[in-house]
């Protein structure tokens, strides 16, 4: 066959016989060995999204779509897929359905590695799509974490294809490459469950950047970091070819593992073989961690910051004199109120009033008709004040999200509880606690996933002290402009102080209330509910209700949390609570020293606890 003759010639040129085998071998054996070696090349494995199986005994592709493979066993056999692709690309014919047009990145890679010349194929659909993108460079876009969505609680990332003449004015028109779950469920619980276990198909889509900015920057109020990558033009062209190959393909989407960040790493691996970015995340891929890997891999050219609508409004409010806040607030409701101010002050008040009107409309999903008229009158009034904006841009955070502490943590703690000394080993899978080093993380927000602790007491007791499967906290301050709800959600197992001991009980709890800025920190007041279950309870279950209040602060070399919580248990008829203080000193971005003291009242008993711990993030 003609393609076989090309293959022999190409492999001989690409893989010298002496490099494959030191001993003489028949030509057909040398060819087979060379094909097997080429199929193990990082570039080919990246284009097929192959990875080793859990036992490391075979290759398997992440793609869950038969349309991605030309060989019958291509999903688990990169060598068979390579041979099938070579044969297919050598077929005569043309048009958009030809394999050479369907997989232009594979064709380009094989041509470059084998020095082969395949028949010319005209691919009008691919050519039109590629020319429309005008991709000259690539930026990684990282919107910050969004606690109100299970799929984005650890952040999100996607790529932007930048034209050669990119500037702040036309950046919003650039195309983006986004990978997300193709889900239309409104129920967040089912959405989370199916997302955790691969119940949704994942799709690669190409959308204008302005749509993503509107979604993340304006609707979800998430600050965005833009990382310009140093891919060469040839690497950008190969990335675009590979995105074309992925667009119609289905991958099973997993929130923790094969998610948006993981899939983008695979695309970058295909553009620049040898990065091996995807291989660094065999089990889970948290977007901030993947950004760290990209930066560590030498791909970062520069980083820029795009503040959200809420950050912009908050910055302008801090620059607007307090005496003008009430006027700006009233104008957002009624723009025709007379303003007796100097031009600079008047301009500032009108700008803040318009920004708040727009923020409120998006945040509360108000009908466009309800805000459009007043917004237009505010803009018209501002246009009549012939002075530049009195506001400076929001300050760029000194520490980017990828420069905060790493997401895993392990720690050792020594302490006393109820007059007994103990030693504790704790381990957390992800991501950030309220008293962890705060640079790079949003104030008042915390997500702990699979966070457990083992304790050994001086009397020989060795036990699991707690295992938090998921714990989310979101404290946002309220003022005359912002009225967010502060909330928390927890699920796992913890020890409860009962009359007969301190058994391990399963729990599910939720809190809701308000927070305010106080004394340089954040004070909160919430109502909480707690459901507990376990064989140690005579009834098997219990249900508690009670208040939660506290104060989060920064200072004294780190950050701290003063907290009080109480629950009256309705089934077994007792009330208890806990008053505690935890302060952490930051010894570096990935190392901290913490001090804890608390007094707990349980069912007919009270105990004190004191602990000193060292935590390493990795």
């Amino acid at each position: 066959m003609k393609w076989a003759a090309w293959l022999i010639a190409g492999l001989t040129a690409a893989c010298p016989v002496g490099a494959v085998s030191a001993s003489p071998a028949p030509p057909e054996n040398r060819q087979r060995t060379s094909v097997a070696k080429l199929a193990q090349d990082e570039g080919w494995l990246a284009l097929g999204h192959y990875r080793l199986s859990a036992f490391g005994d075979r290759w398997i592709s992440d793609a869950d779509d038969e349309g991605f493979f030309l060989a019958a066993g291509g999903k688990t056999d990169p060598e068979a897929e390579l041979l099938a692709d070579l044969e297919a690309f050598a077929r005569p014919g043309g048009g958009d359905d030809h394999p050479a047009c369907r997989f232009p990145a594979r064709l380009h890679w094989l041509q470059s590695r084998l020095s082969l010349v395949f028949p010319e194929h005209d691919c009008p659909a691919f050519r039109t799509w590629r020319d429309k993108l005008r991709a000259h460079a690539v930026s990684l876009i990282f919107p910050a974490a969004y606690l109100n969505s299970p799929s984005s609680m650890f952040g999100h990332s996607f790529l932007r294809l930048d034209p050669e003449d990119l500037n702040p004015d036309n950046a919003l028109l650039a195309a983006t490459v986004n990978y997300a779950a193709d889900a239309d469920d409104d129920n967040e619980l089912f959405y989370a469950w199916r997302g955790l276990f691969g119940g949704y198909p994942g799709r690669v889509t190409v959308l204008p950047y302005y749509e993503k900015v509107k979604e993340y920057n304006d609707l979800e109020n998430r600050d965005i970091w833009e990382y310009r990558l140093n891919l060469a033009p040839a690497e950008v062209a190969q990335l675009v070819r590979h995105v074309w190959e992925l667009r119609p393909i289905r991958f099973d989407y997993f929130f923790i593992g094969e998610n948006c960040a993981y899939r983008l790493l695979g695309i970058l691996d295909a553009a620049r073989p040898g990065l091996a970015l995807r291989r660094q995340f065999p089990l889970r891929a948290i977007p901030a961690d993947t950004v760290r890997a990209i930066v560590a891999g030498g791909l970062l050219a520069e980083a820029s910051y795009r503040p959200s609508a809420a950050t912009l409004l908050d910055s302008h409010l801090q620059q607007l004199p307090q005496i003008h806040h009430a006027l700006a607030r009233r104008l957002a409701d009624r723009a025709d109120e007379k303003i007796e101010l100097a031009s600079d002050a008047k301009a500032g008040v009108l700008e803040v009033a318009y920004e708040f009107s727009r923020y409120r409309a998006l945040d509360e999903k108000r009908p466009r008709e309800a805000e459009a008229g007043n917004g237009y009158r505010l803009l018209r009034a501002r246009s009549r004040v012939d002075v530049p904006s009195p506001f400076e841009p929001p300050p760029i955070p000194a520490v980017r999200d990828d420069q905060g502490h790493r997401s895993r943590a392990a720690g050792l703690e020594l302490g006393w509880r109820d007059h007994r000394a103990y030693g504790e080993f704790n381990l957390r899978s992800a991501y950030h606690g309220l008293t962890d080093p705060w640079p790079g993380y949003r104030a008042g927000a915390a997500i702990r996933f699979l966070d457990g602790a083992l304790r050994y007491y001086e009397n020989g007791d060795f036990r699991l002290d707690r295992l938090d499967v998921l714990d989310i906290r979101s404290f946002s301050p309220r003022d005359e402009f912002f009225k967010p709800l502060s909330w928390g959600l927890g699920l796992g197992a913890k020890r409860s102080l009962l009359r007969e001991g301190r058994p391990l009980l399963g729990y599910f709890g939720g809190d809701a209330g308000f927070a305010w800025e106080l004394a340089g920190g954040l004070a909160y007041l919430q109502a909480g509910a707690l459901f507990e279950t376990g064989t140690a309870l005579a009834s098997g279950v219990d249900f508690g209700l009670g208040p939660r209040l506290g104060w989060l602060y920064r200072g004294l070399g780190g950050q701290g949390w003063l907290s009080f919580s109480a629950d009256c248990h309705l089934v077994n008829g007792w009330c208890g609570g806990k008053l505690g203080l935890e302060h952490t000193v930051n010894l570096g971005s990935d190392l901290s020293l913490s001090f804890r003291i608390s007094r707990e009242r349980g069912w007919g008993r009270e105990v004190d606890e004191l602990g000193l711990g060292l935590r390493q993030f990795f």
Side-chain angles (χ1 to χ4, degrees), residues 63-241:
D64 301 292
D65 193 318
E66 292 183 357
F68 193 59
F69 308 102
L70 298 181
K75 182 176 174 64
T76 57
D77 191 342
E79 182 180 340
E81 183 61 29
L82 187 148
L83 288 170
D85 283 36
L86 281 168
E87 183 179 13
F89 296 156
R91 290 177 198 155
D96 292 326
D97 294 332
H98 193 280
C101 297
R102 176 66 193 84
F103 298 105
R106 298 182 192 178
L107 174 65
H108 176 81
W109 186 84
L110 288 169
Q111 285 180 320
S112 63
R113 289 304 306 271
L114 299 177
S115 300
L116 295 178
V117 178
F118 287 93
E120 289 289 337
H121 300 284
D122 184 31
C123 308
F126 169 66
R127 188 177 64 251
T128 301
W129 177 80
R130 179 195 61 195
D131 295 346
K132 185 178 179 181
L133 293 177
R134 298 196 305 124
H136 178 75
V138 175
S139 295
L140 175 73
I141 309 300
F142 177 64
Y146 181 58
L147 300 186
N148 289 332
S149 171
S151 62
S152 297
M153 63 173 59
F154 295 115
H156 180 56
S157 58
F158 57 95
L159 299 175
R160 189 182 67 199
L161 306 177
D162 299 335
E164 187 171 10
D165 58 346
L166 183 79
N167 59 56
D169 294 328
N170 67 11
L172 293 177
L173 299 177
T176 64
V177 179
N178 186 62
Y179 176 73
D182 186 8
D184 53 6
D185 289 359
D186 293 330
N187 190 308
E188 289 286 352
L189 288 179
F190 286 114
Y191 182 67
W193 180 262
R194 295 184 64 180
L196 285 172
F197 296 100
Y200 290 114
R203 302 285 187 188
V204 173
T205 57
V206 177
L207 297 168
Y209 188 39
Y210 64 79
E211 289 192 17
K212 309 306 292 183
V213 169
K214 179 182 178 182
E215 177 182 356
Y216 298 123
N217 239 186
D218 298 341
L219 297 178
E220 298 180 352
N221 290 308
R222 301 162 65 177
D223 296 336
I224 292 176
W225 284 102
E226 302 172 346
Y227 300 86
R228 187 77 176 264
L229 306 182
N230 58 12
L231 294 178
E235 294 170 329
V236 175
Q238 180 69 343
L239 185 146
V240 170
R241 295 186 196 102

Side-chain angles (χ1 to χ4, degrees), residues 244-316:
W244 171 264
E245 295 176 344
L246 296 180
R247 286 176 63 209
I249 297 303
R250 175 188 189 274
F251 294 84
D252 290 341
Y253 192 96
F254 295 84
F255 285 164
I256 304 298
E258 296 181 39
N259 55 21
C260 60
Y262 177 85
R263 193 60 56 219
L264 295 189
L265 296 182
I267 294 174
L268 292 174
D269 282 341
R272 182 181 289 181
L275 286 173
L277 293 169
R278 194 168 52 108
R279 193 183 304 164
Q280 301 177 37
F281 301 91
L283 299 176
R284 61 165 207 171
I286 292 178
D289 288 341
T290 63
V291 174
R292 291 187 188 97
I294 289 170
V295 173
L299 278 167
L300 177 63
E302 62 179 359
S304 56
Y305 174 68
R306 184 182 291 272
S308 69
T311 300
L312 192 68
L313 173 58
D314 184 61
S315 173
H316 289 175

Side-chain angles (χ1 to χ4, degrees), residues 378-400:
L378 288 169
L379 288 175
R380 189 173 60 179
R382 175 64 182 89
S383 69
R384 292 170 179 165
V385 184
D386 190 19
V387 297
S389 175
F391 301 126
E392 296 291 330
I396 299 174
V399 178
R400 301 193 307 261

